[in-house]
Amino acid sequence: YNTLETKKGGFFKLSLPDGSRVFLNAASSITFPTVFSGTERKVRVTGEAYFEVSKDPSKKFVVEASGVVTEVLGTRFNVNTYRDNDAASVTLLEGAVRVRNADHSTVLKPGDQAQLKGNDRIKVTAQVDIEKVMGWKNGVFRMRETDIQTIMKEVERWYDVDVVFEGQVSQTFTGTISRKEPISKLLKLLEMTEVVRFRIEGRTIIVIGSK
């Protein structure tokens, strides 16, 4: 088996032995065999990864990620299992996948997103904002009515900083900015809304609710 890990601020593209393509987001990993033998193609993931799976009806493709199992034959989908998220999610772009945990399973259609929390029943949302979900893979922070906590989790992983909150910020944010931009430009963009301010102390970003 091979294991590939990305650190905070990292991004990596790779091809698996069957020709399937994988894109790894920051602070993520994938473990896969040197050769897919037997009746299935199984990989293990932590963090977030996007898959473009080569079709092979004789060998289903299986992704195991923090208790979430996604089974496919050939499709495009995103798996997000960062531990600091409220729930794991699987978002389908093309084809069909079956998502399951220990107690429940469901089949997704393109545009569906499954959210899984422990062994609770799987929640499916139809026609989610695919551009927002795939912003990381396309090299941008894409915010559409996104809360500050979710934004700053991405900031922590991409810029390798620590984030501390002082006060509450209840408003959501909408906008797009390249992940190649320095963190200062992203924070300035958020501050232009006049509902949040930031203070930087070394590698720590303090989030301050606007008075």
Side-chain angles (χ1 to χ4, degrees):
Y1 280 80
N2 299 314
T3 297
L4 178 67
E5 298 181 358
T6 55
K7 299 189 181 298
K8 288 185 176 181
F11 175 86
F12 200 83
K13 296 184 290 185
L14 70 151
S15 294
L16 298 177
D18 65 337
S20 297
R21 300 175 69 203
V22 184
F23 298 74
L24 275 185
N25 202 351
S28 303
S29 73
I30 182 169
T31 300
F32 57 96
T34 54
V35 176
F36 288 119
S37 57
T39 59
E40 65 180 18
R41 299 168 284 169
K42 181 182 291 187
V43 301
R44 293 192 298 274
V45 167
T46 65
E48 185 169 21
Y50 167 72
F51 290 85
E52 296 178 348
V53 178
S54 298
K55 297 186 187 306
D56 185 350
S58 66
K59 287 186 180 182
K60 66 181 178 181
F61 193 94
V62 180
V63 179
E64 293 183 347
S66 300
V68 177
V69 179
T70 305
E71 300 177 349
V72 305
L73 290 178
T75 187
R76 299 190 296 134
F77 62 100
N78 190 75
V79 178
N80 186 333
T81 61
Y82 284 122
R83 294 185 182 276
D84 57 2
N85 287 345
D86 292 334
S89 66
V90 178
T91 307
L92 182 64
L93 282 73
E94 179 184 281
V97 301
R98 177 178 296 278
V99 180
R100 58 182 170 88
N101 56 19
D103 298 326
H104 306 281
S105 71
T106 189
V107 175
L108 302 184
K109 303 185 298 295
D112 286 354
Q113 181 181 84
Q115 293 188 331
L116 306 93
K117 191 171 184 178
N119 293 327
D120 294 347
R121 184 171 295 279
I122 301 170
K123 176 184 177 182
V124 177
T125 302
Q127 298 305 310
V128 297
D129 188 340
I130 295 296
E131 288 188 355
K132 179 180 175 183
V133 173
M134 298 310 305
W136 71 268
K137 185 255 180 184
N138 297 324
V140 297
F141 292 102
R142 193 178 300 278
M143 300 164 281
R144 290 188 179 168
E145 298 184 359
T146 306
D147 62 70
I148 193 66
Q149 290 79 14
T150 300
I151 294 169
M152 297 313 291
K153 286 176 184 177
E154 276 200 72
V155 168
E156 280 189 310
R157 289 190 288 263
W158 184 244
Y159 292 105
D160 191 11
V161 295
D162 296 317
V163 174
V164 176
F165 286 85
E166 290 184 0
Q168 298 294 320
V169 181
S170 57
Q171 293 88 342
T172 59
F173 301 82
T174 298
T176 301
I177 186 171
S178 170
R179 282 161 54 123
K180 294 180 181 179
E181 296 289 355
I183 189 171
S184 58
K185 190 168 183 177
L186 172 60
L187 298 182
K188 184 176 181 180
L189 178 69
L190 295 171
E191 286 186 329
M192 288 174 63
T193 63
E194 298 185 351
V195 299
V196 65
R197 292 183 294 117
F198 302 95
R199 187 172 73 250
I200 300 174
E201 297 181 358
R203 298 198 65 79
T204 300
I205 310 296
I206 296 99
V207 183
I208 306 166
S210 181
K211 295 182 180 179

